[in-house]
Amino acid sequence: MSRSFESAQRVAIIGGGPGGYDAALAAAQLGAEVTLVERAGVGGSAVITDVVPSKTLIATADAAVAIAGAGDLGVQLFAKGGDGKPLKPQVAINLAAVNKRLLALARQQSDDMRASLTEAGVRIISGHGRLEGPGAVVVSTGLGGTDFDRIEADTLVVSVGASPRQLTTAKPDGQRILTWTQLYDMQTLPEHLIVVGSGVTGAEFASAYMNLGAKVTLVSSRDQVLPGEDADAAAVLEKVFARGGMSLLSKARADLVENTGTGVVVTLSDGRTVEGSHCLMAVGSIPNTAGIGLEDAGVELTASGHIRVNRVARTSVPNIYAAGDCTTFVPLASVASMQGRTAIFHALGDVVIPLEQRRIAANIFTAPEIATVGWQEKDIADGSINGVVRKLPLAANPRAKMMGIKDGFVKIIAREGSGTVIGGVIVGPRASDMIYPIAIAVERRLTVDQVSRVFTVYPSLSGSITDAMRSMHVVERAGEDEN
Ligand SMILES: Cc1cc2nc3c(=O)[nH]c(=O)nc-3n(C[C@H](O)[C@H](O)[C@H](O)COP(=O)(O)OP(=O)(O)OC[C@H]3O[C@@H](n4cnc5c(N)ncnc54)[C@H](O)[C@@H]3O)c2cc1C
């Protein structure tokens, strides 16, 4: 329901990704006069180059895996050859069609989001925005920055996102040395893709292209893929990568990447070289915060250029808020959206629940997926929190057996004594959906017994969540829990 202020608050937002988009919708809902400035397309990198294209590509890779693995379930595909004898068809990927589909899907999503903003009454200005002090945004709208608009506002939200980090010794050329935004021009599957960087982005693309049928080498500067993530989950992924034929070069730093005209050569810091057809550079992002007037407006930045924000997304300047990848918070689309809404609720005086990092559910879209929420086993190991851990392999789950799922597990982390659920990890297909009950338990501070009293369907993968929690039962004397 919309609420009108006596004289409408003026809200200006720079950046139309998930952070800016949700801030704009929330502000319009609260009756503010809202202007959103966007230089590329509504939906931002999340929709145009990052989340939507990559997850659509991964959906195709998952389909290819399902078809290739269907034989284990007794599904056999045959066609008749010219001599009447059966031929076994092979799975082939039409990458041009896959990329065409994912780019169209991204465009459509961007158009839908633009339409939702317009319908909500948000004024959208296409152009490059920068702050003019703490009370106005100047937008260059013409080609070459010749025409200008000036928007005065009571509240400003900066949600300008981030761009792929580029190394001078491995400059992306859009042909063979690529950032993740340049992958979708490829018309055929790369013969041999070298992925530099084994964080979330590198691991997701390495997994996807391997499952689409490309030869993949993953160059990781650490001793495990997905540094900082659950070690058991990373171990499962490494096993699956090795089984799929991926070469994993760990503790290997890429010093130089060269396009030879017919391929790429990656030189590692120990002198070794790896040759491939293409190289994907997945070495992190830098915030788009330079040259947009933040410092002049008094907004505090970190040494890396990220905007310092508190738990309600407020910057060091009281009427300037910031959301998403340009801030010091967790770089996820879901978080950017939540920050955008929280910023507006705080600025316009609605009820605000400050964001808490531990409550954020996150997923890595490899095959299998890896989803996490809350405190992790490493936090117990390093003494940050007291807790107990229970891990059940998915292979023991009856539904998983029926579906031919071999890899993955459910891990529950609970407080010692009370059994309050404080975290969890799920590795398996659709872990992104499976993590939800654990995220609710963490958010609502439910105990393992409260969660395991809820029925799960038999047989179901979610049954492993209650099985793990049942095995963590906290013994109470009868009559103590009357609820
Ligand atoms: C390959 C990849 C896959 C990902 N997958 C996931 C996923 O599955 N789930 C998930 O939650 N997160 C994922 N992320 C992270 C997610 O993309 C980001 O967290 C999200 O895009 C952040 O949203 P944002 O609003 O901060 O910025 P963005 O989406 O980057 O939007 C910022 C917008 O601001 C505009 N802009 C910048 N400067 C200006 C200016 N001066 N004037 C006007 N406009 C400007 C840009 O054009 C852009 O449209 C992924 C990231 C990558 C790289």
Side-chain angles (χ1 to χ4, degrees), residues 46-374:
V47 168
I48 295 165
T49 54
D50 298 357
V51 188
V52 171
S54 68
K55 263 78 261 185
T56 312
L57 180 82
I58 287 166
T60 298
D62 287 347
V65 170
I67 294 168
D72 292 350
L73 277 67
V75 178
Q76 294 178 338
L77 297 172
F78 287 105
K80 263 190 191 154
D83 55 2
K85 288 191 181 153
L87 291 175
K88 200 172 171 195
Q90 288 185 336
V91 174
I93 300 298
N94 179 344
L95 196 69
V98 172
N99 286 341
K100 192 173 161 200
R101 172 175 181 263
L102 62 82
L103 291 174
L105 212 143
R107 242 188 333 270
Q108 184 60 54
Q109 175 76 3
S110 172
D111 291 348
D112 290 350
M113 290 172 78
R114 175 176 273 272
S116 300
L117 288 176
T118 308
E119 201 187 337
V122 174
R123 179 163 72 121
I124 304 170
I125 301 183
S126 299
H128 180 92
R130 72 184 153 76
L131 297 181
E132 191 184 71
V137 174
V138 173
V139 190
S140 49
T141 51
L143 278 178
T146 46
D147 301 330
F148 292 96
D149 257 338
R150 190 169 180 282
I151 309 146
E152 291 193 354
D154 307 299
T155 298
L156 293 132
V157 180
V158 180
S159 187
V160 290
S163 304
R165 189 159 78 93
Q166 299 193 6
L167 308 179
T168 46
T169 52
K171 236 174 155 46
D173 56 20
Q175 301 295 315
R176 291 188 178 274
I177 307 173
L178 309 166
T179 69
W180 59 82
T181 66
Q182 297 168 328
L183 284 170
Y184 307 114
D185 292 333
M186 283 195 288
Q187 295 298 300
T188 53
L189 213 54
E191 244 169 72
H192 179 185
L193 179 67
I194 302 170
V195 179
V196 175
S198 70
V200 175
T201 300
E204 285 187 358
F205 282 115
S207 173
Y209 282 99
M210 177 185 87
N211 289 329
L212 290 169
K215 177 174 160 55
V216 175
T217 297
L218 180 58
V219 179
S220 166
S221 59
R222 311 287 183 82
D223 54 0
Q224 80 166 41
V225 295
L226 300 173
E229 297 291 336
D230 182 83
D232 291 332
V236 170
L237 201 61
E238 287 186 5
K239 188 179 80 183
V240 173
F241 281 175
R243 199 166 65 212
M246 190 187 299
S247 304
L248 179 60
L249 304 178
S250 52
K251 289 191 186 156
R253 191 172 287 277
D255 269 358
L256 181 67
V257 183
E258 293 165 294
N259 179 344
T260 61
T262 53
V264 290
V265 179
V266 177
T267 306
L268 306 178
S269 49
D270 61 9
R272 279 181 295 166
T273 56
V274 193
E275 291 181 22
S277 63
H278 295 78
C279 178
L280 166 64
M281 297 301 297
V283 289
S285 299
I286 52 163
N288 299 324
T289 51
I292 57 167
L294 287 163
E295 295 92 334
D296 288 347
V299 175
E300 208 180 302
L301 303 177
T302 63
S304 58
H306 291 88
I307 302 172
R308 270 191 215 287
V309 287
N310 65 12
R311 287 173 54 209
V312 294
R314 198 179 208 177
T315 71
S316 51
V317 179
N319 70 317
I320 303 182
Y321 292 77
D325 285 13
C326 62
T327 73
T328 40
F329 226 64
V330 182
L332 284 174
S334 50
V335 175
S337 300
M338 197 69 99
Q339 273 183 302
R341 286 176 67 75
T342 305
I344 292 299
F345 286 172
H346 189 262
L348 301 192
D350 206 330
V351 177
V352 181
I353 299 170
L355 295 164
E356 206 174 306
Q357 203 145 324
R358 291 276 161 212
R359 306 245 170 106
I360 298 169
N363 190 61
I364 302 168
F365 290 82
T366 44
E369 294 182 6
I370 299 171
T372 48
V373 65

Side-chain angles (χ1 to χ4, degrees), residues 369-393:
E369 294 182 6
I370 299 171
T372 48
V373 65
W375 293 94
Q376 297 296 299
E377 198 168 3
K378 64 178 184 315
D379 301 317
I380 299 175
D382 70 18
S384 305
I385 187 114
N386 273 333
V388 283
V389 179
R390 192 58 46 91
K391 179 178 143 199
L392 284 189

Side-chain angles (χ1 to χ4, degrees), residues 11 34 62 107 163 261 283 297 344 367 402 411 424 461 480:
V11 174
V34 192
D62 287 347
R107 242 188 333 270
S163 304
V283 289
I344 292 299
M402 295 165 200
K411 186 186 275 189
L461 297 184
E480 269 186 1

